[in-house]
Structure formats: C-alpha cells, structure tokens
Amino acid sequence: MNATLLAVALSLVSAGAYAAAAVAQSRLAGRTEPGTGVLRMLGRGAWWSAVGLNAAGALLHVAALNYGPLTLVQPLGALTLVVAVPLGARAAGRRVGRTEWRGTALTLLGLGALLLTTGGGSAPQDTLTLPEALGVGAATMAVVAGLSRPGARPGLRHAAASGITSGVASALTQTLTVAVTDHSGGPLFSWRLLTVALLVSAFAMGGLLLSQTAYRGGLGAPLAVVTLANPVAAAAIGLALLGERLQGGPVSLVLALLGTTAAVRGVILLSRAQARNADRDEVPEGPAPVDPVPSRVVIGSPRPAAVPEPVAVRAGGAPHP
C-alpha cells in the first residue's frame, strides 16, 4: 500500500478512537463537580476508559506519523469532530440535526482541499535536534501557562492549550518514531531521544487533563478549538523546523485558503450546534416534573345554630300556643 494511503487509513481509525474518547470525557465532565480534584477523578472507571481510547488513538496516530508528514496527518485529526457528532448524538439519545450535517459536509470538503495541497507521498525523514526539541518544549510550556491563567472563557482557553500540547506532542512523536525506525545504524538510546520521549509523555498527559477541564463547559466548542489548534501547532513545527512544504503554486495556495475557510466554517457550525444540543440534553425529556401540592382539607365554618322563634308567654307563665 502507498505510504500516503496507509497514513490516511491509520489517521481515520485514530480519529474514531479520539472521538469516542472525547464523548466519554465530555459525559464524565458533565457528571463531575467543578471542584473535583485530579486524584479523585483518577479513581473513576469512566476516566480510565477515556484514557484507554485516547491511548489507542495515540498509537494509531504514531503509526500514521511514521508513514506521512505532519502537514498530511495532523489535518486529518479534524475528523475527530466529525466522528464525534453522531457518537455524541447517539449517546444523548437524539438525531443529528441539519446544522450538524452542514458542518460535517463543510469540514470534509475543507479537509479534502487541504489534503490536495500537502506534500504527501514520502515518509518523513527530518527530525528535531536536541536544542530544537528543548526550545519547542519551553515555548509550549510558556504558551500553556499563559492560557491557563484565570480569566474569561476558561473552557476555550484550556481547549486551545490542550490542542497546542497535543500538536507539539505529535511533532515530537514523529521525531521519536523516525529516529527509532532509522536503519542508518545510529544509537537507539541517546540523551536526545530520552528527552524527546519525556517531553512527549508530559505533553500528552497534559493535553489529556487540559481537555478534560475544557469539556466541563460542553463538548462542541472546546472540541472544535482542540481540533483546530492541534494541526496548526504541529504544522508550524513541521514547516519551520522539519523542512516540510506545501506542494503546488498559486493555485494550490488558493485551494488551501478555500479549504481552510470551509473547514473553519464547518467547525463553527458543528461547535454551535453541539453547544445548543449540550444545553438541550441537560434538560430531561417530557414535561418538567411538578411538585405535588399537598391536598388541603377545607373545613367550613360551622353553621350557626338555629335560633328558636320567640314564644309568647301568657300572664300565668304558660306559653301561648
């Protein structure tokens, strides 16, 4: 099978696993109090189910990165949002709405246009050096610290931080997999690979915890932000440090812009629809239960006693008939 087709196939299955994990995390976040600590959440089976699904998606994603460049594999991660639409609707016991279908179609069209402009076809060769990996890690931690500060819209800011850390983890993972599978005879274990592996573990777990925090406000908008921030961060590293390029001339650039516009519009529609559905799903179906009104026993005032008619009395004391 062609390397590009294999990377696309693995990315599709990975997106399905990530979508199932996002739905599971969202439902867990809806049942978790805002003040719940991390240790208490780690003791729940639902959390570990989401972790398992994320791990499966990550392994498939790693395999895809071994066959395709970041500019090809990362945009396919947007399919996570597309897959999460029917999964979330099924979990909530409802049908997918018209707006959600429109958003899905626009997202797919935009992704298709972007894939035509990627430099796919050859497996990645370049990797990050140790100074580059450390610089990327330091810059990522600074950005995440800024986004995690208290302020307005914490859900969207945590979602952006989650997407950035996940995208950086993907870029570092590609460096790790390419270096390990390199048959040039280089050492399998070195300070560079050990450092990259530690950074991948830290950013992967950090992205998972940040997304769990972001989903407390619902699934739609946070997942959309994660979906967009992830490929942007990874593609920036691929284009700036790994020598990846978009193929084609001005026509491909116009196609990429149109695809990006369509994908962003589709994600916005999906996020709005899922935000409305999240609010509606929290309301129980059917008429709202009415508190029973205690029955009142109305006790009427007693009837006044009959007043005897006046009786005339004769002079002798005997009553007058």
Side-chain angles (χ1 to χ4, degrees):
M1 181 183 292
N2 183 274
T4 301
L5 294 179
L6 187 56
V8 170
L10 291 171
S11 298
L12 292 177
V13 183
S14 174
Y18 278 132
V23 173
Q25 285 184 266
S26 176
R27 294 178 66 83
L28 175 62
R31 299 192 301 266
T32 304
E33 296 294 332
T36 303
V38 175
L39 293 179
R40 186 175 179 183
M41 186 174 60
L42 294 179
R44 298 187 177 183
W47 163 256
W48 290 108
S49 298
V51 170
L53 290 169
N54 273 298
L59 290 176
L60 292 167
H61 186 71
V62 169
L65 286 172
N66 193 42
Y67 293 101
L70 284 169
T71 50
L72 170 68
V73 175
Q74 290 304 121
L76 289 172
L79 292 175
T80 299
L81 184 62
V82 176
V83 178
V85 171
L87 286 180
R90 182 180 179 84
R94 59 174 178 81
R95 294 181 178 180
V96 181
R98 182 181 302 177
T99 303
E100 291 173 305
W101 284 126
R102 288 175 53 203
T104 301
L106 285 173
T107 304
L108 288 174
L109 289 174
L111 283 173
L114 287 174
L115 289 177
L116 292 177
T117 64
T118 58
S122 60
Q125 300 294 333
D126 295 337
T127 59
L128 295 174
T129 64
L130 181 58
E132 289 175 342
L134 291 175
V136 167
T140 302
M141 286 186 285
V143 172
V144 170
L147 291 173
S148 301
R149 296 177 60 185
R153 297 184 179 274
L156 296 182
R157 288 188 290 105
H158 283 102
S162 174
I164 292 172
T165 53
S166 299
V168 172
S170 296
L172 295 171
T173 298
Q174 187 181 67
T175 289
L176 195 62
T177 55
V178 171
V180 169
T181 57
D182 186 14
H183 301 289
S184 61
L188 289 179
F189 299 99
S190 63
W191 284 110
R192 179 176 73 111
L193 295 184
L194 180 60
T195 303
V196 171
L198 291 176
L199 289 174
V200 168
S201 301
F203 287 145
M205 181 56 65
L208 186 62
L209 294 175
L210 286 168
S211 64
Q212 182 65 53
T213 304
Y215 292 151
R216 289 175 179 173
L219 177 65
L223 182 57
V225 174
V226 171
T227 303
L228 289 175
N230 187 313
V232 168
I237 296 175
L239 294 173
L241 300 176
L242 296 177
E244 297 183 4
R245 294 291 182 267
L246 297 178
Q247 65 180 1
V251 176
S252 296
L253 181 59
V254 173
L255 186 61
L257 292 176
L258 292 177
T260 302
T261 303
V264 170
R265 177 60 180 169
V267 167
I268 291 174
L269 288 176
L270 286 170
S271 64
R272 288 177 179 175
Q274 289 194 15
R276 289 196 302 267
N277 291 329
D279 295 337
R280 186 164 58 244
D281 292 341
E282 294 177 356
V283 180
E285 296 181 358
V290 180
D291 293 337
V293 180
S295 58
R296 296 180 298 172
V297 179
V298 180
I299 302 177
S301 57
R303 293 181 178 180
V307 180
E309 297 180 356
V311 179
V313 180
R314 292 181 178 177
H320 189 280

